[in-house]
Amino acid sequence: MLKRLLYLAGTLGLLVGLWGLYDRLVYGHMHANYGSYVVWGLWVALYMFFAGVATGAFMLATLDLLFELPIFRGSGRMALWGSLVAMPAGLVAIGLDLGHMTRIWKVYLQPNFGSVMAQLVWGYTIFLGIVVISLWLSLRPQPSRWLKPVMAIGLILAIFLSGGIGALLGVNQNRISWHVSNLPAQFPVFNLTSGVALMLIAIGWFGPLRDPRRSQQLRILSLAMVVLLLVKGYYLWSDVSQALYQNSSHGAAAINLVLFGPYGWAFWLLQLGLGMLIPLIVLTMPVGQRGFAAGLMGVCVLIGLAVARANIIFPALSLPELQGLGEAFHGPHLSFTYSPSLMEWAVTAGIVGAATIGFLLGTDRLPLFNRLPTEASSAAD
């Protein structure tokens, strides 16, 4: 029943997204609410979110396929599939945000490797290839000696890409709320949190009920999520308190927009309440470490992380870099007030719907949890 509802939700989202994609391809950025001042919008936040899920899920896959921790045996392929589904979703989101999508070839044939963005594009391309190769090797009937070396390279790259997102924001010195030294160090923790949340959903909702390790895996993942949310909360407090204490014009103003401005409801209700406090309470209780509840808390954490990405991007860009800039020029895309348009939401619904359907198809068609013949025979021996 749950899987049918998810298929239905994914299909509805995909249908809505087809209209949004048509509007984006035919009319370009005309119906988007970002513009010359707020240059990054909902799709950039969505890209950061899905890229975080992909790299975080790969980190979780190494617990089984690289480090061979017995408790996580059999979960690596599911984590790799989640990574493989999430990364293209993030790349589609950022691709649609580009003004000239057809010029993407330039970053491959004419790259400037001094650019963090060029490093990330190449890194994502190599990482996606590693995910495909790792999943293929893990699904082969016979164990491959190449799987561990490939997974080791992928782990290093996943950590680099996670920090790279923070670096991409941090190098913008004119955005004080982004230009903090520990931002690149925070994103690997955020992405690992995304990976744990995805695995709570995968094991809690789709894991084999007869697997004796399932309850232990959910317990360990739940406790890991509690620890990661506490670390995430510490980072959040550190950023907010420093910005308000230093009272720098841009940093404090951006934080005030998040706490008390137009983005306050999303911060207090979704990012902090739904995405952190409720999972912290539920996952510390025995009922929260059971299948359905654990998966539901994974969904709550992912929603909170998605909102957190938006609350990093939107407020920082909603403040003029020069005093009086907003009053100097007027036009349809010359505004510092940003909320996603209907077209932006439609495209987002389509990307999320497609990713949901892709993830579900993998659970139905691939032996992501089922033990392969070689594993079954070795267990029998």
Side-chain angles (χ1 to χ4, degrees), residues 216-228:
Q216 292 179 308
Q217 289 174 348
L218 289 176
R219 175 175 172 78
I220 291 176
L221 289 172
S222 297
L223 295 178
M225 177 59 72
V226 169
V227 173
L228 288 169

Side-chain angles (χ1 to χ4, degrees), residues 124-169:
Y124 285 136
T125 305
I126 298 172
F127 177 76
L128 190 57
I130 288 177
V131 174
V132 173
I133 294 172
S134 300
L135 184 61
W136 175 68
L137 291 175
S138 67
L139 290 172
R140 293 181 63 185
Q142 299 295 329
S144 173
R145 61 187 179 90
W146 292 104
L147 179 58
K148 285 191 175 183
V150 172
M151 292 292 296
I153 296 172
L155 176 60
I156 296 172
L157 193 55
I159 297 173
F160 164 77
L161 291 173
S162 299
I165 294 292
L168 180 65
L169 299 176

Side-chain angles (χ1 to χ4, degrees), residues 41-353:
L42 179 62
W43 298 337
V44 173
L46 190 67
Y47 142 72
M48 293 169 58
F49 167 73
F50 273 117
V53 173
T55 53
F58 191 93
M59 295 179 197
L60 267 293
T62 62
L63 298 179
D64 173 24
L65 301 176
L66 176 60
F67 300 110
E68 294 186 344
L69 296 183
I71 187 61
F72 288 103
R73 185 170 176 81
S75 65
R77 294 188 293 271
M78 174 57 84
L80 284 177
W81 179 251
S83 181
L84 183 59
V85 170
M87 183 55 75
L91 296 180
V92 168
I94 196 62
L96 291 173
D97 182 80
L98 298 176
H100 298 276
M101 293 182 287
T102 56
R103 296 182 183 177
I104 187 61
W105 63 270
K106 286 182 172 290
V107 78
Y108 292 106
L109 300 183
Q110 300 175 0
N112 173 18
F113 287 114
S115 165
V116 177
M117 191 171 293
Q119 296 172 18
L120 287 175
V121 171
W122 276 76
Y124 285 136
T125 305
I126 298 172
F127 177 76
L128 190 57
I130 288 177
V131 174
V132 173
I133 294 172
S134 300
L135 184 61
W136 175 68
L137 291 175
S138 67
L139 290 172
R140 293 181 63 185
Q142 299 295 329
S144 173
R145 61 187 179 90
W146 292 104
L147 179 58
K148 285 191 175 183
V150 172
M151 292 292 296
I153 296 172
L155 176 60
I156 296 172
L157 193 55
I159 297 173
F160 164 77
L161 291 173
S162 299
I165 294 292
L168 180 65
L169 299 176
V171 295
N172 288 271
Q173 298 184 23
N174 55 330
R175 305 291 178 182
I176 304 301
S177 58
W178 292 347
H179 191 57
V180 291
S181 59
N182 65 353
L183 193 61
Q186 293 183 30
F187 271 84
V189 176
F190 299 162
N191 294 356
L192 183 58
T193 307
S194 302
V196 173
L198 180 66
M199 291 308 294
L200 281 174
I201 298 170
I203 296 175
W205 287 359
F206 309 111
L209 298 178
R210 296 182 179 179
D211 190 339
R213 292 167 297 197
R214 180 171 178 268
S215 60
Q216 292 179 308
Q217 289 174 348
L218 289 176
R219 175 175 172 78
I220 291 176
L221 289 172
S222 297
L223 295 178
M225 177 59 72
V226 169
V227 173
L228 288 169
L229 287 177
L230 290 175
V231 174
K232 185 174 178 292
Y234 170 77
Y235 277 134
L236 180 62
W237 165 253
S238 174
D239 290 342
V240 170
S241 60
Q242 285 188 78
L244 294 179
Y245 183 80
Q246 293 172 356
N247 198 26
S248 60
S249 57
H250 193 283
I255 293 299
N256 280 314
L257 282 178
V258 174
L259 298 181
F260 312 111
Y263 307 106
W265 68 271
F267 173 78
W268 294 107
L269 295 180
L270 299 180
Q271 180 180 341
L272 196 62
L274 184 67
M276 292 184 65
L277 295 182
I278 292 178
L280 276 173
I281 295 172
V282 174
L283 291 176
T284 55
M285 302 168 62
V287 66
Q289 299 171 13
R290 298 174 184 173
F292 179 78
L296 184 60
M297 291 304 100
V299 173
C300 291
V301 171
L302 288 180
I303 293 174
L305 289 169
V307 174
R309 301 301 197 278
N311 280 338
I312 291 175
I313 297 296
F314 301 168
L317 295 174
S318 298
L319 298 169
E321 299 175 70
L322 298 174
Q323 188 174 2
L325 183 60
E327 293 76 26
F329 302 96
H330 300 278
H333 281 181
L334 296 177
S335 173
F336 286 99
T337 302
Y338 173 77
S339 60
S341 67
L342 183 61
M343 183 270 288
E344 292 176 70
W345 281 116
V347 170
T348 298
I351 294 174
V352 174

